[in-house]
Amino acid sequence: MAGIVEFQKVGLRYGRGAETLSDLDFVLERGSFHLLTGPSGAGKSSLLSLITLARRPSRGLIRLFGEDVVTIDRARLPAFRRRIGIVYQDFRLIPSISVFENVALPLRIVGAHPNEIDASVTELLAWVGLDARARALPSMLSGGEQQRVAIARAVVTRPDLIVADEPTGNVDPEMAGRIFHLLESLNRLGTTVLIATHDIHLIGRAPQAAMMRLNRGTLDDPTGALRHPPARQAPYP
Amino acid sequence: MTGLAPDLLAQRRLLGPLAWVIAAICLIATLASATALTLDHGARSLAGSLAGRATVEVSSDDPVERERHAEAALRLLRGRPEIVAATPVSQAEVARLAEQLGADAEDGLELPTLIDVTLRPGVSADALTAQLLPIPGVRLLPQAQTLAPLAAVLEALDHVALGVALVAAVSALLASGLAAHAALAAHEAAADILHALGATDRQLSRLLERRIGFEALAGAVLGSLMGGGAILFIAAKLQGLDKGQVTGTSLHFGDWAVLAAIPLLLSAAAVAMTRVVVMARLAKAA
């Protein structure tokens, strides 16, 4: 398997403060499933922001899909971002447009044909069980429904990599289980998945996942104890 | 192709403050431009009517001698090849002009005899001065020179009006730039999402350009209509004036085309400014 994300001695500093992330070295293989854990403030969101190209590191090398994205020209970044599907804890749907249009956004950005947009969005909304809510505004949906819309939006362009930041953080346990199942099924289709979470139950549901643990800005114990948490039984149906 | 829905950037009102600011600016720009064009026509009309024209003034306390000198001047002028026409002004007309200048016929002042002279194009009135020197009491008054201060005032007013129009255009640019800054700040969350989904800076910029361009055009058309109405109102009032007093004050077809282009130009400038501001701001992001 080829590395889809490679970090070499990556550091991130905000302003003149101490480094939020230090000396990160890891590789995410194509088609792998990773869980990124760590306490609040450990730097999980900062690490995801580097992978999703929302920020550039203060030092080190990051390769995405085999290319150095640290020194890359800014104009080329959108092409890389289009290969990454992002799911946020707070959904980040555009409130002024319908569920259908939110899911269609990535396709419209790449200039897809209207027929393709219609077919793909309809199929994905059915996949996440929201085909009946296609014309609704995000504000008319529950948290779990909004998260499923966000997942549909993240995968509508069939990205190579899915990055999810606490995707179950704002939904009830039953919905968390359904969302996790959606992400697992994407991974089975060959998509690389990275989920940042501190949900111990979610971690317990994914024994096959490769663990990454962030602590005070450094990665440690990538296959350690968190893989076998004490509360092993999953509460999700 | 952006393909992005225009309602991505939600707005509570159809037209924001920028439309009203641009309307006011466009009104000022339209009135200033119309003033500049009218003054330019007035100045050209004045210069055209005065160029190559002069008045020969023959004065003497003795009416008989004055008439003799006037006839001599008239003969001389009509014999010159550079003179198109030399026409004596009737004494009644001279008396009327003197009365307009405040002289009273009962004052017993001896009025001069005046001869209107039209020179061939390109001939300077100064060339005649030497010819007329041998005739006593004769003075040549080039009309362009006499009315030079008026022409200078018209020219200065023309420049001021043009300056006001330019200041209005710069104000429109600055207002558009501020509006672009504000719009980008107001829609920062949506812009971040679109960026994360792979939208380019140009795609984001186009969204704001469309929004601000629409507002600017709506405001500019409104201001232009108000300005056009004001110009037509003033034009109607000017028509009531004696044609002999005010000439060259009407706007031509080309002038109206210039005025009609102002809202389009202001809108285009607003769009261009938005692009510059938004692209510069986005370039500072990651």
Side-chain angles (χ1 to χ4, degrees), chain A residues 53-56 74 77-79 81-82 84 86 88 92-94 96-97 101-102 105-106 108-112 153, chain B residues 1-5 7-10 189-201 203 282-286:
Chain A
L53 304 174
R55 294 184 191 288
R56 298 207 192 208
R74 194 172 176 282
L77 290 177
R81 290 182 179 131
R82 289 171 189 181
I84 305 169
I86 310 172
Y88 299 97
R92 299 197 193 175
L93 302 176
I94 306 271
S96 58
I97 57 176
E101 283 302 325
N102 266 286
L105 260 181
R108 296 203 187 283
I109 285 170
V110 298
R153 183 182 66 183
Chain B
M1 173 178 123
T2 68
L4 298 178
D7 53 354
L8 274 173
L9 309 179
D192 284 347
I193 293 168
L194 291 169
H195 252 162
L197 297 177
T200 62
D201 290 353
Q203 285 176 312
L282 292 177
K284 291 178 185 168

Side-chain angles (χ1 to χ4, degrees), chain B residues 3-286:
Chain B
L4 298 178
D7 53 354
L8 274 173
L9 309 179
Q11 187 165 298
R12 277 173 294 177
R13 288 168 297 185
L14 181 64
L15 295 179
L18 177 69
W20 306 108
V21 172
I22 293 285
I25 288 172
C26 192
L27 170 64
I28 293 167
T30 302
L31 292 177
S33 300
T35 305
L37 289 166
T38 306
L39 287 170
D40 187 54
H41 294 322
R44 284 173 195 276
S45 171
L46 183 67
S49 62
L50 297 182
R53 297 189 64 175
T55 300
V56 173
E57 179 190 273
V58 184
S59 20
S60 172
D61 291 339
D62 181 356
V64 177
E65 190 177 77
R66 191 179 67 237
E67 282 310 308
R68 194 160 50 81
H69 291 161
E71 280 173 19
L74 197 57
R75 268 198 310 277
L76 186 146
L77 290 168
R78 285 177 173 164
R80 302 296 308 172
E82 62 268 41
I83 303 295
V84 175
T87 312
V89 179
S90 71
Q91 280 305 104
E93 179 66 11
V94 175
R96 193 182 68 78
L97 286 171
E99 201 173 301
Q100 278 186 356
L101 293 170
D104 194 339
E106 293 178 3
D107 288 349
L109 275 173
E110 281 298 331
L111 294 173
T113 297
L114 300 179
I115 302 169
D116 274 343
V117 177
T118 305
L119 298 122
R120 291 198 187 282
V123 176
S124 167
D126 296 339
L128 282 179
T129 307
Q131 307 291 329
L132 293 166
L133 263 180
I135 306 172
V138 171
R139 194 161 64 117
L140 185 77
L141 305 168
Q143 291 185 6
Q145 188 179 321
T146 310
L147 293 174
L150 176 60
V153 168
L154 286 179
E155 193 178 2
L157 288 172
D158 187 18
H159 289 160
V160 168
L162 206 57
V164 171
L166 285 175
V167 167
V170 171
S171 304
L173 277 177
L174 293 176
S176 305
L178 288 173
H181 268 292
L184 199 54
H187 299 294
E188 194 175 8
D192 284 347
I193 293 168
L194 291 169
H195 252 162
L197 297 177
T200 62
D201 290 353
R202 276 298 293 125
Q203 285 176 312
L204 285 173
S205 177
R206 276 196 206 108
L207 279 174
L208 288 168
E209 285 166 32
R210 273 189 286 178
R211 162 64 50 80
I212 287 178
F214 171 73
E215 281 199 27
L217 184 62
V221 167
L222 181 66
S224 189
L225 288 175
M226 289 193 293
I231 292 165
L232 289 174
F233 176 73
I234 293 168
K237 295 291 175 195
L238 283 174
Q239 277 188 338
L241 291 175
D242 181 0
K243 289 285 183 189
Q245 289 174 300
V246 182
T247 59
T249 53
S250 61
L251 290 171
H252 306 156
F253 177 77
D255 301 332
W256 285 107
V258 169
L259 297 182
I262 288 174
L264 300 176
L265 291 172
L266 286 182
S267 306
V271 169
M273 190 64 176
T274 302
R275 181 178 303 184
V276 168
V277 168
V278 172
M279 293 298 280
R281 274 277 299 272
L282 292 177
K284 291 178 185 168

Side-chain angles (χ1 to χ4, degrees), chain A residues 56-101:
Chain A
R56 298 207 192 208
S58 312
R59 61 186 175 86
L61 173 70
I62 299 176
R63 285 184 189 279
L64 280 183
F65 316 114
E67 283 202 57
D68 174 3
V69 290
V70 176
T71 56
I72 195 174
D73 185 74
R74 194 172 176 282
R76 289 189 61 207
L77 290 177
F80 286 89
R81 290 182 179 131
R82 289 171 189 181
R83 297 178 68 180
I84 305 169
I86 310 172
V87 181
Y88 299 97
Q89 180 179 6
D90 55 356
F91 325 131
R92 299 197 193 175
L93 302 176
I94 306 271
S96 58
I97 57 176
S98 68
V99 163
F100 183 95
E101 283 302 325

